Amino acid sequence: MPTPAVSVAIPTRDRPAELERALASLAAAAAHESAELIVVDDGSRSKAVADLAHAYGVRYVRHEPATTLNAARNRALEEARADLVAFVDDDVIVPPDWLRELVGGAARYPDADAFAGRIVARIAGLAGRGCGRHGAPITELDLGESDREIECAWGACMALRRRALERAGLFDPAIPSDDGDESEWFERLRAAGGRVVYLGGWRLEHVRCGPSARFVALARSSYRRGRGARRSDRRRGSEPPLRSELRTLAGCLWHVLRRRCPQGVFLAAHSFGRLVEASRHAGTR
C-alpha cells in the first residue's frame, strides 16, 4: 500500500456517540487527501467503538488494559504509517479542508517539528453561555488566522513529524490525561531544540452536547482538570502558594454572584479542584 501523506489518530474510550460525529467529519476530510484514520480503543467495555470503526472503514487498534491517553498516543505512533501524524480527541468535528490545511502548513514549514491547530469550543445549551470575560470550560485554542511559532499544542488538534520523536522521545504514559500530559512532551521537545508552529487555517470544533454538556458533567470535568493542573504545576516546580489558590477561588465565586455567569460555575469548580489538590499534598508532607 502507498504511504499516506498523513496519519490521523483518534484515541477513545467508551464514547461511541462522540466518536461517530468525529468519524463522520474526518471521513469526509480524508476523502480529499491521502490519509489514514486510526481509532485507538483504550480499553472500551463494549463493542460499540469497534463496530463504528469498522462501519466507517478505518483502522481499529485495541489497546488494553485501559491505561492513559499518552499510552494510547504511543500505540498510535507505533501503528501509523505516515511521517506526519495528527492527533484529535474523539469529541471534535473537522471541516472538509482540515487535512488539506495541515498538509499545506507542514509543507510551508519544513523545519517545524510539530503543529497546533485552532480549537473552537462549542457547548450546547445554557452551559455554553457566559459573560464573555473568560474561556470555555473545555479545551480551546484560538490565536487568530495567522501562523506563528508557539510553545505547546493541545491534544484535541495537534500533529508531529517522526523526527520530533528522535528529539523528545515518546509521550510519558505515566502522566494522567488531566495532568498536562501533552504539555510535558512539548516541554521536552522545545528543550531539545524543536519548533512548534500554530497554523491559523487548521481549525476544528471541540463539541459538547447532550449529556456531556450538562452542568454537572462540565463541573466535574472542570474539577478534575483543576486538580490535574495543580499536579502539573507541581511537576514543573511552579505551583503557587495555598493562599493564592484561596484568593482565586474567592474571586471565581464573586464572579458567579456578581455577573450571574453560568460558566463562572466551571471556573469555580476548576479553582476548587486546584485548592483540594494543594491541600491534600500539603497534608502528606
Side-chain angles (χ1 to χ4, degrees), residues 175-181 183-184 224 227-229 231-232 235:
I175 300 178
S177 59
D178 290 321
D179 290 24
D181 44 351
S183 61
E184 186 275 338
R224 291 193 301 269
R227 294 194 64 179
R231 288 192 293 265
S232 180
R235 187 183 67 247

Side-chain angles (χ1 to χ4, degrees), residues 154-176:
W154 302 123
C157 185
M158 68 181 185
L160 58 88
R161 300 186 198 271
R162 290 283 179 182
R163 67 167 184 254
L165 301 176
E166 298 174 5
R167 292 181 182 270
L170 294 170
F171 294 94
D172 187 345
I175 300 178

Side-chain angles (χ1 to χ4, degrees), residues 25 29 33 38 91 96 130 132 134 144 147 158 162 166 168 186 199 201 204 210 215 235 246 248 253 262 274 276-277:
S25 64
E33 298 291 335
I38 307 171
D91 54 358
H134 48 74
D147 300 347
M158 68 181 185
R162 290 283 179 182
E166 298 174 5
F186 280 98
L199 302 173
L204 56 66
F215 259 86
R235 187 183 67 247
L246 280 167
T248 300
L253 293 173
R274 290 186 60 93
V276 168
E277 185 63 32

Side-chain angles (χ1 to χ4, degrees), residues 206-217:
H206 195 192
V207 180
R208 286 287 193 277
C209 60
S212 66
R214 293 173 183 166
F215 259 86
V216 172

Side-chain angles (χ1 to χ4, degrees), residues 51-52 87 91-92 176 180 198 209 265 268 283:
D51 291 343
L52 271 174
F87 291 91
D91 54 358
V92 304
Y198 166 85
C209 60
V265 175

Side-chain angles (χ1 to χ4, degrees), residues 7-220:
S7 298
V8 182
I10 312 106
T12 187
R13 181 193 301 164
D14 286 323
R15 300 211 300 181
E18 289 86 349
L19 179 63
E20 184 167 17
R21 289 194 298 268
L23 285 177
S25 64
L26 284 163
H32 302 286
E33 298 291 335
S34 173
E36 67 170 348
L37 305 181
I38 307 171
V39 170
V40 182
D41 185 350
D42 188 28
S44 290
R45 292 166 293 181
S46 74
K47 293 180 56 183
V49 169
D51 291 343
L52 271 174
H54 296 148
Y56 278 91
V58 304
R59 290 180 61 194
Y60 173 79
V61 177
R62 175 78 177 179
H63 181 248
E64 57 183 354
T67 50
T68 63
L69 181 53
N70 270 351
R73 288 172 178 148
N74 289 339
R75 179 63 186 277
L77 289 168
E78 293 175 3
E79 298 288 337
R81 296 187 295 121
D83 176 69
L84 182 64
V85 183
F87 291 91
V88 295
D89 285 350
D90 59 6
D91 54 358
V92 304
I93 296 177
V94 309
D97 64 349
W98 187 75
L99 282 168
R100 185 171 68 248
E101 289 289 345
L102 170 59
V103 173
R108 289 197 305 276
Y109 301 99
D111 294 333
D113 299 279
F115 302 93
R118 293 171 65 195
I119 306 170
V120 180
R122 179 159 64 84
I123 304 174
L126 181 62
R129 304 173 189 172
C131 65
R133 291 173 174 260
H134 48 74
I138 60 176
T139 301
E140 62 180 350
L141 177 66
D142 194 344
L143 303 177
E145 298 181 0
S146 300
D147 300 347
R148 66 180 69 182
E149 190 163 344
I150 61 173
E151 293 186 350
C152 181
W154 302 123
C157 185
M158 68 181 185
L160 58 88
R161 300 186 198 271
R162 290 283 179 182
R163 67 167 184 254
L165 301 176
E166 298 174 5
R167 292 181 182 270
L170 294 170
F171 294 94
D172 187 345
I175 300 178
S177 59
D178 290 321
D179 290 24
D181 44 351
E182 68 271 78
S183 61
E184 186 275 338
W185 183 85
F186 280 98
E187 289 169 9
R188 283 188 276 129
L189 178 66
R190 294 198 319 276
R195 293 181 60 213
V196 185
V197 172
Y198 166 85
L199 302 173
W202 190 38
R203 175 187 181 279
L204 56 66
E205 290 185 334
H206 195 192
V207 180
R208 286 287 193 277
C209 60
S212 66
R214 293 173 183 166
F215 259 86
V216 172
L218 287 168
R220 286 175 176 169

